[in-house]
Amino acid sequence: MNGSKKNTTGLKIISLVLAVMLWLFVTNENVIITRNEITGVKLNHINLEEGLKASHTDKVSVEVIGTPKEASDINAYIDLKGLEPGIYTLPVKVEPVPGARVTKIRPEQVKVQVFKTEENIFPVTCRVQKLPPAGYTVEGMITVPEKCLVKGPQEVVRKVASVVTFLDLTDRTETSSFYAPARAVDARGETVTDNITLIPDQVKVYVVVGQERTLTKVAVNPTLTGKLPDGYVLGDIRAEPSEVTLIGPPGTPAPSLQVTTSPVSLEGHTLPFTEEAAVTVPQGVSAFPERVRVMVDVKPVTKEESP
């Protein structure tokens, strides 16, 4: 019995010495053992079957007892082994943390959606939600790139009817470029956002804004000067194109039904000829095109045409 007491006393002495040594080691190393809740721990998933994707919360909190840790020191995960497309509630697991013991995980379980993926390419459409200031109009719009890739759960991607960028042009009075977000919308024009990704998710928009103008299409009447040599007469005279579009600001007086050209001289011509001439327009008005080809038929006088 005395031997038993001696053994117990010896074990107590050894335990005390070890405790003192541990205390001295911890004190010398400036290490403090605490209970610590670490937030923002990334939640990973493992063992996902090929051809599937998973959607779940991406952050959890982990409480540990031990030396202080950072979120990057902890590997939290959910195991998706053998799961088919569907919605599941799964436990969050944490790999052993050196120098610490995990006491709590928040949340302990997470909802996970496993789904088949699909992707499709859509042209990007510009929709003007707010027009330019009064007196200005949109003359053209393009996006770079012209198309976006949409990918995500199969049933969600199949709801997408188009990719749209919505534009606010209230402060645009000239040609400009800017970046705007791209959105996937369904057939009713409502935004589709459930777990889908757009690549790219924003596009560069080039917008041509100009003052409002009046467009009027009119005939071209060539202007001829001079006279042909003796023994020759004029045949057909025509302009190509035969009509031009007059462009002017709002309120411009309506022009006549035709416009003329700069003078085309007949002097010295004995054969049919073609000459380019400018379209003559009123002040403040421009023509498109600005120049036309005037084709003049010149032919000798026949006996029937002789006086």
Side-chain angles (χ1 to χ4, degrees):
M1 187 169 179
N2 289 335
S4 177
K5 287 183 178 180
K6 287 181 180 179
N7 289 339
T8 302
T9 302
L11 288 173
K12 289 180 178 179
I13 293 172
I14 292 171
S15 298
L16 179 61
V17 170
L18 289 174
V20 171
M21 290 177 64
L22 178 60
W23 178 82
L24 289 173
F25 173 77
V26 170
T27 303
N28 290 336
E29 291 295 319
N30 294 319
V31 176
I32 302 173
I33 297 177
T34 62
R35 182 185 297 271
N36 190 22
E37 182 173 357
I38 302 168
T39 60
V41 176
K42 182 180 179 182
L43 180 60
N44 302 301
H45 59 254
I46 61 173
N47 297 326
L48 181 64
E49 297 292 334
E50 186 175 354
L52 299 178
K53 291 286 185 180
S55 174
H56 53 79
T57 183
D58 61 348
K59 302 290 182 184
V60 295
S61 297
V62 178
E63 185 181 279
V64 299
I65 294 178
T67 55
K69 298 292 176 181
E70 296 181 354
S72 58
D73 298 327
I74 299 176
N75 181 23
Y77 66 94
I78 48 177
D79 191 347
L80 307 181
K81 185 175 182 179
L83 297 185
E84 297 180 348
I87 298 176
Y88 305 88
T89 299
L90 301 176
V92 178
K93 301 178 181 180
V94 175
E95 288 188 350
V97 182
R101 180 168 62 89
V102 176
T103 58
K104 190 168 290 185
I105 304 170
R106 295 188 183 89
E108 295 180 347
Q109 296 180 323
V110 295
K111 184 173 289 187
V112 183
Q113 181 183 9
V114 178
F115 52 85
K116 289 183 179 180
T117 60
E118 185 169 308
E119 56 185 47
N120 203 351
I121 295 176
F122 293 87
V124 181
T125 303
C126 294
R127 291 187 186 173
V128 178
Q129 286 187 312
K130 295 185 179 180
L131 295 170
Y136 291 87
T137 186
V138 178
E139 298 178 352
M141 297 181 292
I142 61 170
T143 66
V144 178
E146 296 179 343
K147 298 179 180 180
C148 282
L149 174 69
V150 178
K151 64 179 183 178
Q154 186 179 69
E155 66 274 13
V156 178
V157 172
R158 292 184 178 182
K159 293 179 182 177
V160 177
S162 60
V163 172
V164 178
T165 180
F166 296 97
L167 306 180
D168 179 354
L169 304 179
T170 51
D171 59 347
R172 308 283 173 175
T173 58
E174 59 186 7
T175 300
S176 59
S177 63
F178 51 90
Y179 285 94
R183 299 181 188 176
V185 298
D186 60 21
R188 295 178 296 176
E190 297 180 357
T191 302
V192 180
T193 58
D194 298 335
N195 295 323
I196 64 168
T197 302
L198 274 70
I199 303 175
D201 59 0
Q202 64 175 359
V203 294
K204 192 168 188 178
V205 183
Y206 293 86
V207 179
V208 180
V209 175
Q211 288 185 309
E212 291 182 344
R213 296 174 291 181
T214 300
L215 305 180
T216 307
K217 186 168 286 191
V218 296
V220 179
N221 183 24
T223 300
L224 304 178
T225 62
K227 63 178 184 177
L228 296 172
D230 292 340
Y232 292 89
V233 294
L234 288 173
D236 292 333
I237 304 166
R238 59 191 177 93
E240 189 178 86
S242 61
E243 293 182 323
V244 296
T245 300
L246 298 185
I247 307 169
T252 301
S256 58
L257 297 178
Q258 63 180 18
V259 291
T260 59
T261 66
S262 57
V264 175
S265 176
L266 300 176
E267 297 290 339
H269 287 286
T270 58
L271 294 172
F273 69 94
T274 300
E275 187 173 312
E276 192 175 272
V279 177
T280 303
V281 295
Q283 186 175 2
V285 177
S286 60
F288 181 80
E290 296 179 338
R291 302 180 70 84
V292 297
R293 299 171 67 214
V294 177
M295 289 171 278
V296 182
D297 184 23
V298 178
K299 54 186 179 180
V301 175
T302 62
K303 292 182 180 180
E304 292 78 9
E305 296 172 328
S306 298

